[in-house]
Amino acid sequence: MAGALNGRRVAILATDGVERVELEQPREALDRESAETTLLSMNDGQIAARNNDLEDAGTFPVDRRVGDATPDEFDALLLPGGTVNPDKLRMDPTAVAFVRDFVDSGKPVAAICHGPWTLAEADRVRGRRLTSCPHEKAEIEGHAFGPRPRRRLQRRHHRHRHHPPRPRSQAPGH
């Protein structure tokens, strides 16, 4: 029986440190709806999964290297989280370029938990509405809006704001 996503091709971009549940459960849901999923990673072989970033959680076989894939081959992109996985992805220029090109294609992108880190590194969150875990807000906003300007402290005459400057003749020790 054909599902709602019959024949849709979904790229899943992940690497070592991916949170197992954040790759496995969405992939199973996509498979149930008859999507064709492809696990892309930076290297061939397998990627190591984690539970809660701390515990080993087995491996997933990689279908293709991200450097050998193009967004034109897929209908959607899934970016699972964990903290280690997206942190490694955002340090890889090939993975970041793939994400940037995918977003630019206008096709759907789903990013789970810390997954938006890679979108932010690709500079593709600016001006977009995202959902995220509450603890991700500062990280994503920092990329979305750039560094916030720092106020320069003015120390010309005042050591403390609540005390006016004293004339030199009244300063202690004079």
Side-chain angles (χ1 to χ4, degrees):
M1 180 173 180
L5 300 175
N6 188 29
R8 299 286 183 183
R9 300 159 300 162
V10 180
I12 303 171
L13 179 58
T15 193
D16 290 325
V18 66
E19 189 69 23
R20 182 173 196 90
V21 70
E22 294 177 22
L23 190 157
E24 192 170 59
Q25 288 185 6
R27 190 175 204 180
E28 289 172 355
L30 290 165
D31 290 343
R32 277 193 306 275
E33 293 300 323
S34 302
E36 297 173 15
T37 58
T38 302
L39 179 56
L40 303 176
S41 193
M42 299 174 305
N43 300 306
D44 291 322
Q46 298 185 353
I47 58 172
R50 310 294 288 170
N51 282 332
N52 301 313
D53 284 330
L54 302 173
E55 302 166 8
D56 289 333
T59 60
F60 290 101
V62 173
D63 296 315
R64 291 178 60 194
R65 291 181 50 224
V66 67
D68 297 334
T70 66
D72 294 338
E73 301 172 58
F74 301 98
D75 299 305
L77 172 63
L78 170 62
L79 297 170
T83 58
V84 177
N85 170 57
D87 198 41
K88 287 182 177 183
L89 289 174
R90 68 182 176 169
M91 297 299 142
D92 184 86
T94 304
V96 172
F98 181 84
V99 170
R100 181 181 306 114
D101 293 345
F102 208 98
V103 172
D104 290 349
S105 76
K107 298 174 189 175
V109 176
I112 301 170
C113 194
H114 291 79
W117 283 0
T118 313
L119 291 169
E121 188 64 33
D123 195 24
R124 292 304 182 262
V125 296
R126 194 177 316 272
R128 297 180 191 275
R129 183 177 208 136
L130 302 177
T131 60
S132 179
C133 299
H135 60 274
E136 291 302 302
K137 182 178 178 182
E139 177 77 24
I140 299 302
E141 282 182 346
H143 281 280
F145 303 110
R148 292 189 169 85
R150 295 184 180 172
R151 279 194 208 178
R152 238 179 115 209
L153 295 176
Q154 297 201 358
R155 297 182 160 235
R156 278 183 276 158
H157 299 290
H158 295 75
R159 285 203 148 195
H160 305 285
R161 286 181 100 169
H162 60 280
H163 293 295
R166 293 183 184 165
R168 284 186 107 344
S169 61
Q170 294 178 6
H174 286 281

